[in-house]
Amino acid sequence: MNDDRNRSWPSQEPDAPRRARRPQEDPGPAWPADDAPRRPAPPRRPPAGGPRPPRAPRAEAGPEWPSGDEGGPQWPAADEPRRPQRPPQGRAPQGRPPQGPGPQDRGSATRASQILDGQGAPPRRQPPAGRPAPGGPNGNATQGFRQPPPSGRPPQRRPVPPPPSYPEPEREPDLITHAAHNGYAPYDDRYDDDRYDPYDEETRLAQYSDDADFEDDPEGEEDGKKKSKADLTPKQRRKRRWKIVRRVLYAMFGLFVVVPAIAFVITYFTVDVPSPQEVLAQQSQPITFYYGDKSVMGRSVPQGGNRELLQPNQVPEVVKHAVYSAEDATFETNSGFNVMAILRSVFNQATGGTGGGSTISQQYIKQATKNDEATLTRKWTELAKSFKLNNETSKSDIITGYLNIVFFGRRANGIAAASKAYFGKDVKQLNASEAALLAGMIQGPGKDRDTAYMQKRWNYVMDQMVANHWLSPADRKAAQFPTLIPRDSQQKEDAGTLDFHIQQRIMQELAAKGYDEDKLYSTGAKIYTTIDPNAQKLAVQSVQDNMEGQTDENLRGALVAVDPRTGGVLAYYGGPTTVKNDAGKDVLATDWANVPQNPGSSMKPFDLTAWLKMGKGLGETFDGTNNRQLGGRVVRNAGESASCGPVCTVKKAMEVSANTVFYDMVLNDVKPSRVAEAAKEAGVRPAPKGKGKLGTEDANIALGGGATSVTPEDMAASYSSFASGGVRRDQHFVAKLTNSQDEVIFDDTNGQGKPAFDDNADKSKQIAGNVTDALIPVIAESHLKCPSGHDCAGKTGTQQYTMRDDDPKSYSDRNSQTWMVGYTPSVSVASWIGGDGTKPLHDKNGKPIYGKTIAGPTWQDFMTNYLKDKPGEKFDKVEPIGKDADEVVTSSKAAPPPRETTSEQAPPPSTQSSSSAPPTSSSHPSSSTTSPTRPSGIFGGGTDGGNPGSGGGPVVNGEPPRRTG
C-alpha cells in the first residue's frame, strides 16, 4: 500500500525514512551528484552445514569510502561488516526470478539505518530533494548503495560520521503490513546475502533445530566455534531437556490418545451390533414333542447341545449376581468395557498370571458373532461393538442374552438348560450356592468332570458375592457345595417316550411343508402331535404280544391307527428302534410301518370303489367259481370255500374274498387305471409323494399283487376315508406347530377334509357307505370280533411267497405278507405281519401264516383295548348304488353267460409276477389242468380267512398255482 497518496509508484523516488527527525538535526552527508558509489556487497555466507566464518571485531568508527582507484567503497578492515539486507522486490535473489515492484520497496534505503540505530552503525543518507533515487526510477538497483561515478570522474570519499546519540523518537503510525520494516521487528542480516534464499527448505527449517536457541548467542561462541552440549549452562541444559520431554509427551499423547480416539469413533459408526432378538433367533434350541393330550413326548436336542431361551423377567436376581461376581462385577455400571480390567489383564499376561479383561458385554459379542480369533482387530472391533451395544440395549436384555447362549458344560447351552443338566430343576428354583456353581463353570465348561476345579470355582464366586454385598457372610459360612445329578439323567429325561420312527415321520412331514430341521431347531419348535399316548402304548403292546414266541426270525410287524374324523395318526409302531446286526451290535432298525408291501386282498375295497363309481351296485353278479381263464391266465380261488358259485353277487364275493370275481371285474369292466385312481382318492400315496406304487400294467392290481405295493400307514389312512363317510383327510402327525415363545406357526387341529370319491359330498358318502356295507360281513367271516357296542368293517389280505428254483417243495404253500385293515367310525387300523420283501414265513408251529394267524388277532387286540369304555358307535346307513345285493337271489345251479375277456389286458406270455404266471394254451377252464384243492380252514375267505388255496395265479402245465388272498 502506498503511504503517499499524491505520488505515483514506482516512477518517483522512494519515501524518506519514516523515523521522525529532531529539530536542528544534521541530516548527514548528502548524496553526491548522480553518481553515488554503490555499497560493497557483503561477504557471502557459507553453504548450510559448512563451518561458520568468524565474525570480524566490531569497529569503533563508521566506515570510510574507498579511494578512487578501488572498485567501489570498502569498509575499513577493523570495522564489522553490516548484516546482509533483504533483497529489494525489484531484485531477485540468486536462483529466483525477479519480483515485481511492491509497496515494501518504498523506503528500503532507510531500513538498515533505522534498524541499526543505537547499535553503532551509521545512519543511511537520503538523496537530496529532487534527485532521483539510485538505480533509476524503476528501483532495480539495491537501495542504499551508491552508483559508481561516471567514467573519467574519480570517486569521492566522504567519511560517514557516527550516529548522534539521542532518545528514541516517537514513531508515526504505520500500516500493519509494514511493521516488519519500520523497526518493530529485528533486522535479519541474512537478507544482505545475494545467495540467501528465504524459500529454501533447509534454510527455512534451520531456525527450528534443537540448537537454534544457542546459535546466535554471543556467549555461546568461543574462538569462533559454537559451544557443545557439554559447555551449556545448567539452565540451558534444563531448558533443552524439558523441550525433549515435552515433545515426547506430545507424541505419546497423540499416539496413545488422539489417534485411538479417532479410530474408535470411526469403528463405532461402521460396525454392526446384533441385537439380543436377532441373536435369539439364531440359537439352536431343542425341539419339544407333545402328545395329543399336550403331555411331553420327548425332546430332540441339537448337535451343539441342549438350550432353553429365557426372557429378561425369567432370570432370577441370585443368578445375575452370581454371574456378575464370576465374570464382571461392574457390569451394571460400565459402558461395555472396563479400562482397569484391561490394564489388569495386560499386567497378568506380562507377569505370567491369569485373568482376562473382557466384560460380560464383550463376551456376549464374542458368543453372538461366533468370532473368537486371537487378533487385535477382533478385540478392537469387539470393544467398539460392546460400547455400542450398551448404548443401544438395556442391561437387562444384555445379561439375559448372554445367559441364554453361553455354554456351561454337560451339553447345556444357557442357564436354563444348565440348571436342568446339573441339578434337574428349573432355573427359578436355584439357590445362591447352585447359582454360584453354574456361574463358576462359565470359564471352564469342559471341566464339568473335575470336582476339584468345580470346588475351587464355587468358593471363588461365593467369596466374590460376599465382597460385592450380594451375599451375607453368615449365608456364605452356612453354604454347602451343591449336590449334582448324574450326567446322563437329563438325556434320559429328554428322550422320554419319544419313538424314533415317529420322530422321523414327523420331521419328514414338516420338511415337506417347508420346515426343515435347522429351522425347527433355530425356533425351538414345539410340535403338538396327533399321537394318543394310550393308543401308542396299545399299538406296541398288541404287536409285541402277538409276535411273542414266534420262531421265524424273518417275521416283522407294524400297526398304524388313524382318526377318520381328523386324519391324525393316533398310533404308529414300525417295530423296534434298534436290532442286532451280524456282529451283535445294535443298529438302527427299519420302520416297517413305512415300507411298501403287496397288500393282497386288502386291495379289493378299491376295486369295489371303482365299480361303484361307475354306477354299478353290490347286487351285480359274477362267476365266482374256481380256476377261471381270464385274460390269458388261469385265476383260482383259495379252495372251494372261497368260491361262491357261478352266480355270485359282488357283496358275497367280498365276504368270501373270491379272487375270480374281482379279477374279472377289474380286467373286463373297471380297468386297472380306475382302481389306482380310487386308491389314490382314498389316501394311498404312490411315489413321488409317498413310497407306494400302483401297478396298472395288468389286472394284478385287483388282487394287490405284482407291482402294486402300499405301506401300512397308507392302508390305515385310505380305509379311514370309508370310515368317515367318504371324506378324505390326509394322514398327518402334526396338529399344531409353535416356536419356543408359543407363537403359532400353523394349526391343523380342526382336520378339514374334502369329498374323496366324488365332488358331490353326498355321492362320495354313498360310495363309501356301500363299501362299508360290503366289508362289515368280512369281520365275522374271518372269525374276528368287534368291540362291544361298535360297528366294524375291514378286509384281510395275504400275498403268497414266490417260489425259487432252489426252494424246497414245502415252500409252495408259504406266504410272504399278511394284513388286516379295518375300522370303526372313530378309528381306522392297519395291522401288518410279514417279511422283508418276499420270504417264506411260518408261525411258531412251523405252519404258513395267514391273515388269521397273527395280523388279525393283532388288529383285534388293539381295537378291543382302545375302544374299551368308549361310547358305542354305528355306521350311517346309505342308499345302495345300482342293484341292491339284498334283493338279488343267487343260485349256484344256473351259471351266468360266459364273459368275454379282453385280450389287450392280458400281458405277453413272458410276463410274470408274484401273483401270475404265463397263460396256458387253453382258453377255457375245462381245458386246464387243475391241481387238487387244499382242505378248507375254519374261515371261508380263502387265505384271507386262513385257507391255503386262495390266490389268483393260474395253473401252468400242472405247476402249483400262485395266489393272492
Side-chain angles (χ1 to χ4, degrees), residues 676-755:
E677 185 67 22
K680 289 188 289 185
E681 290 173 347
V684 174
R685 297 177 302 180
K689 292 184 178 181
K691 290 189 173 183
K693 183 178 181 181
L694 299 172
T696 57
E697 295 82 3
D698 54 43
N700 280 326
I701 190 175
L703 306 179
T708 300
S709 61
V710 294
T711 66
E713 179 187 339
D714 279 354
M715 292 301 287
S718 60
Y719 273 50
S720 71
S721 296
F722 303 134
S724 64
V727 179
R728 177 185 172 181
R729 297 178 176 91
D730 292 337
Q731 69 267 34
H732 59 277
F733 290 84
V734 182
K736 184 172 69 172
L737 177 66
T738 71
N739 60 16
S740 59
Q741 306 304 317
D742 295 324
E743 296 173 344
V744 177
I745 299 174
F746 70 81
D747 188 348
D748 289 342
T749 306
N750 295 329
Q752 297 295 327
K754 62 181 180 179

Side-chain angles (χ1 to χ4, degrees), residues 295-314:
S295 61
V296 176
M297 181 188 298
R299 302 205 305 169
S300 175
V301 179
Q303 187 175 5
N306 194 3
R307 190 192 310 274
E308 182 179 341
L309 301 179
L310 302 176
Q311 296 299 316
N313 58 357
Q314 295 176 316

Side-chain angles (χ1 to χ4, degrees), residues 453-465:
Y453 174 82
M454 297 171 69
Q455 185 82 33
K456 176 183 177 182
R457 290 293 297 166
W458 177 79
N459 284 318
Y460 170 78
V461 177
M462 292 291 286
D463 292 341
Q464 289 297 309
M465 291 181 71

Side-chain angles (χ1 to χ4, degrees), residues 132-435:
N138 296 330
N140 293 330
T142 305
Q143 299 181 18
F145 287 82
R146 299 190 179 192
Q147 300 294 329
S151 59
R153 183 177 179 178
Q156 298 181 3
R157 174 176 295 181
R158 181 176 297 177
V160 180
S165 180
Y166 51 81
E168 181 70 21
E170 295 182 359
R171 302 185 185 276
E172 60 186 44
D174 194 7
L175 294 176
I176 191 170
T177 56
H178 291 178
H181 310 291
N182 58 15
Y184 288 100
Y187 179 73
D188 190 349
D189 62 0
R190 289 178 296 179
Y191 294 101
D192 290 338
D193 189 351
D194 291 339
R195 297 170 299 171
Y196 176 73
D197 184 1
Y199 299 98
D200 180 66
E201 188 70 14
E202 183 176 1
T203 304
R204 186 173 64 84
L205 296 178
Q207 59 181 318
Y208 300 110
S209 64
D210 291 342
D211 297 330
D213 294 340
F214 309 105
E215 286 183 353
D216 296 329
D217 187 2
E219 298 180 359
E221 298 180 359
E222 183 178 355
D223 297 333
K225 297 182 179 179
K226 189 180 73 170
K227 277 188 177 183
S228 65
K229 294 180 181 180
D231 297 332
L232 300 177
T233 64
K235 181 178 180 180
Q236 292 172 332
R237 284 196 294 270
R238 285 195 303 271
K239 182 178 180 182
R240 183 185 185 90
R241 188 162 49 249
W242 278 111
K243 181 187 292 185
I244 295 173
V245 172
R246 285 196 306 272
R247 291 177 178 177
V248 171
L249 291 177
Y250 293 155
M252 291 180 64
F253 181 81
L255 181 62
F256 295 105
V257 178
V258 177
V259 173
I262 296 174
F264 187 85
V265 172
I266 295 174
T267 306
Y268 179 91
F269 288 103
T270 56
V271 297
D272 293 328
V273 179
S275 67
Q277 291 75 20
E278 294 173 342
V279 176
L280 187 70
Q282 298 173 358
Q283 302 307 311
S284 295
Q285 307 171 60
I287 301 171
T288 306
F289 299 85
Y290 295 88
Y291 282 112
D293 62 356
K294 306 299 187 296
S295 61
V296 176
M297 181 188 298
R299 302 205 305 169
S300 175
V301 179
Q303 187 175 5
N306 194 3
R307 190 192 310 274
E308 182 179 341
L309 301 179
L310 302 176
Q311 296 299 316
N313 58 357
Q314 295 176 316
V315 181
E317 290 297 318
V318 66
V319 173
K320 294 181 181 179
H321 294 159
V323 175
Y324 296 163
S325 300
E327 299 297 312
D328 182 9
T330 64
F331 171 77
E332 294 288 353
T333 57
N334 63 44
S335 298
F337 57 88
N338 190 328
V339 177
M340 295 304 298
I342 295 175
L343 296 177
R344 184 170 58 251
S345 174
V346 172
F347 176 78
N348 290 337
Q349 295 292 333
T351 58
T354 59
S358 297
T359 62
I360 287 178
S361 299
Q362 291 174 261
Q363 295 181 51
Y364 172 72
I365 292 294
K366 180 170 65 176
Q367 295 282 346
T369 58
K370 300 185 184 301
N371 183 5
D372 58 353
E373 296 179 358
T375 61
L376 292 176
T377 303
R378 194 269 299 176
K379 293 294 294 183
W380 178 258
T381 56
E382 185 180 282
L383 284 174
K385 289 180 179 180
S386 178
F387 182 69
K388 192 171 185 177
L389 176 68
N390 278 263
N391 289 337
E392 298 177 349
T393 310
S394 66
K395 291 287 186 179
S396 178
D397 287 340
I398 295 175
I399 186 62
T400 304
Y402 175 72
L403 290 177
N404 277 333
I405 65 177
V406 69
F407 183 60
F408 286 86
R410 289 199 175 191
R411 301 186 73 242
N413 294 289
I415 191 69
S419 177
K420 294 180 179 179
Y422 281 86
F423 307 113
K425 60 173 63 175
D426 192 81
V427 65
K428 63 184 179 182
Q429 299 174 335
L430 294 176
N431 56 38
S433 178
E434 294 165 340

